[in-house]
Amino acid sequence: EAQVTQNPRYLITVTGKKLTVTCSQNMNHEYMSWYRQDPGLGLRQIYYSMNVEVTDKGDVPEGYKVSRKEKRNFPLILESPSPNQTSLYFCASSLNSWSSNTGELFFGEGSRLTVL
Amino acid sequence: DAKTTQPTSMDCAEGRAANLPCNHSTISGNEYVYWYRQIHSQGPQYIIHGLKNNETNEMASLIITEDRKSSTLILPHATLRDTAVYYCIGGFGNEKLTFGTGTRLTIIP
């Protein structure tokens, strides 16, 4: 089954304790991206990747890191989490650029992160 | 900044057609317009996309104006399960993408 898998789905952590949210897709997609969703602010892009070893900042990259060493995986790293990073996070992937004819985005189920 | 403009909220009676408008005046010639919806806090779900011509699939129809600066998503016979937030995306001109706040559609029994 074609899917985007995120882990963990729920996490409560404390300020400063490094954490990684994993994202994996099984569709051989080139484009992958991370979003955070906060009440009243919609889905804001954190980072995106056009292909292996190619990543770039979205609108809200501060406090986050990513890597794309393999095509299928795109982990989101919070080196020193802070309470303002408490949010609902989504990973998404598409075959090609999101604005192309083959740009349908497939989303993971979301990861709800709470930083105390 | 979101490059699309949508109404914040809309209501539609169950069984009627729901028409959701979107302005995407900055869209470039080869950019597709995509529509997604999000039910509660689930991941957004693809609905439909188009470039110039009107499109229809099993979920919805998409009407794009000739100048491509706006479009309308049509749910022909809305059901309670269509209650969701609907996002129109397009007009960014690069690989960045932010969804904005979309239109909250409520289907009324």
Side-chain angles (χ1 to χ4, degrees), chain A residues 34-99:
Chain A
W34 276 102
Y35 301 85
R36 62 177 288 173
Q37 186 169 35
D38 304 290
L41 295 178
L43 284 143
R44 295 179 294 168
Q45 192 180 58
I46 304 171
Y47 270 95
Y48 64 94
S49 170
M50 292 299 297
N51 214 324
V52 175
E53 301 293 0
V54 181
T55 63
D56 211 342
K57 296 177 181 178
D59 284 334
V60 288
E62 295 77 20
Y64 304 94
K65 290 174 62 176
V66 293
S67 68
R68 188 94 181 272
K69 297 176 181 176
E70 306 165 282
K71 200 169 190 178
R72 65 182 295 126
N73 296 322
F74 192 45
L76 180 70
I77 304 160
L78 286 73
E79 293 272 4
S80 182
S82 62
N84 64 12
Q85 293 179 297
T86 292
S87 188
L88 177 60
Y89 292 86
F90 289 102
C91 178
S93 72
S94 60
L95 182 60
N96 298 117
S97 165
W98 64 266
S99 62

Side-chain angles (χ1 to χ4, degrees), chain A residues 92-112:
Chain A
S93 72
S94 60
L95 182 60
N96 298 117
S97 165
W98 64 266
S99 62
S100 71
N101 193 28
T102 52
E104 175 187 346
L105 286 164
F106 292 77
F107 282 82
E109 294 182 306
S111 297
R112 189 168 293 279

